Amino acid sequence: MKCISCQDLYDEDAAGTCKECYEEANETEEELKREIDELKAKVAFLKFWSPTPSARSHPASFSDVVLVASEDTSAGAPVAVPAHKAVLVSRSPVFRAMLENEMEESLSGTIKIGDVSYDALRTFVNYLYTAEVCLDEDMACDLLILAEKYQVQHLKDYCEKFLVSKLNWDNSVMNYTFAHQHNAKHIIDAALTLITDNMDKLTTREEYVELVEKDPRLVVEIYEAYLSKQVNTAAQKDSSRKT
């Protein structure tokens, strides 16, 4: 019998397609499901916040606002990044708390963002409007920090995926440390796997020496993960020999 996809002959007991085409179709289906899930998450992120009854009674509180980066000291006064309160409160529970209550930021119309450059802040605000960004590793780190600080989970997940895709042995210890500082679990897990796969080279790295001095707790975690992997590997080998 011929496969309806590739027209090659295949086992008549199969149903319509050969094994290769069937597996390829399954992979395509899984990829489409992932893309659909990502689009659904993006749509959900871009939906406007639904105002509460108390917010409806004070529509003037959602006028325009500006954000200012504290690190931007070039050419005198820092350049403000304009935004709309309605967008900010839709994307971030932290901004919502600032702007729905009579905090300084709500009253003044200016939100000062500490420890961030103008470029990173402008990119961050643009993402809140579009859910799109062009990343390099430095910008991904800056945005991940902002996303964690202001609880923009959609952006944090995006930055984590990007940084995981850029992981290699040379940057694994640095990223592992960074991820712990900012609760980036996907990066922690991926970096830890790389590190424990290369334990024989770990102690020669400058980043490792610095980590021992600055945060020995993380060094202990690395060795615990390595020992656990060794135990699991030994158990699997023992099980395979028995079978």
Side-chain angles (χ1 to χ4, degrees):
M1 185 177 293
K2 286 187 176 181
C3 170
I4 59 175
S5 297
C6 66
Q7 297 301 307
D8 287 344
L9 294 175
Y10 71 97
D11 187 350
E12 292 187 7
D13 292 334
T17 59
C18 63
K19 181 180 179 182
E20 289 77 12
C21 290
Y22 178 78
E23 290 176 348
E24 183 178 344
N26 277 347
E27 290 175 2
T28 302
E29 183 180 359
E30 289 301 317
E31 182 61 31
L32 286 172
K33 285 180 180 177
R34 283 193 293 271
E35 290 179 4
I36 290 170
D37 287 342
E38 289 175 359
L39 285 172
K40 285 180 177 179
K42 184 173 182 178
V43 169
F45 174 74
L46 289 172
K47 282 183 179 178
F48 267 93
W49 162 71
S50 178
T52 61
S54 61
R56 290 195 195 99
S57 64
H58 300 286
S61 65
F62 294 101
S63 59
D64 289 341
V65 64
V66 297
L67 295 89
V68 177
S70 65
E71 284 187 4
D72 183 31
T73 57
S74 59
V79 180
V81 179
H84 296 86
K85 291 182 179 180
V87 173
L88 299 187
V89 300
S90 298
R91 309 295 187 252
S92 161
V94 176
F95 284 137
R96 181 180 298 182
M98 286 182 184
L99 299 172
E100 285 188 343
N101 299 298
E102 293 187 357
M103 298 177 68
E104 178 185 348
E105 293 84 0
S106 179
L107 297 173
S108 68
T110 299
I111 301 175
K112 296 179 181 178
I113 310 294
D115 301 322
V116 65
S117 68
Y118 168 76
D119 287 341
L121 179 58
R122 183 181 60 179
T123 304
F124 175 64
V125 172
N126 185 68
Y127 190 90
L128 299 183
Y129 280 83
T130 65
E132 294 181 357
V133 64
C134 183
L135 292 177
D136 58 28
E137 290 180 59
D138 289 338
M139 183 60 74
C141 290
D142 289 343
L143 292 181
L144 189 150
I145 292 170
L146 282 168
E148 184 199 12
K149 182 176 180 180
Y150 293 98
Q151 297 179 25
V152 185
Q153 191 61 46
H154 189 269
L155 174 57
K156 186 175 180 182
D157 290 342
Y158 190 89
C159 292
E160 282 201 63
K161 288 179 182 177
F162 177 84
L163 289 170
V164 167
S165 74
K166 299 297 181 180
L167 273 175
N168 55 55
W169 167 240
D170 288 331
N171 65 25
S172 59
V173 176
M174 179 184 67
N175 276 288
Y176 178 71
T177 305
F178 170 80
H180 264 285
Q181 293 169 345
H182 301 288
N183 303 309
K185 188 177 186 305
H186 297 303
I187 301 174
I188 291 172
D189 292 343
L192 192 57
T193 297
L194 262 176
I195 293 168
T196 54
D197 284 344
N198 295 274
M199 286 295 284
D200 57 320
K201 299 182 287 185
L202 178 63
T203 55
T204 63
R205 297 201 63 83
E206 183 179 340
E207 298 95 329
Y208 172 77
V209 176
E210 292 177 0
L211 191 60
V212 170
E213 295 176 356
K214 293 180 179 179
D215 199 342
R217 175 182 58 90
L218 297 188
V219 177
V220 171
E221 183 176 290
I222 289 172
Y223 277 94
E224 286 178 343
Y226 175 69
L227 291 173
S228 177
K229 179 180 287 189
Q230 294 294 98
V231 169
N232 289 337
T233 301
Q236 290 173 2
K237 288 181 179 178
D238 185 58
S239 176
S240 63
R241 281 197 296 267
K242 289 179 179 179
T243 56

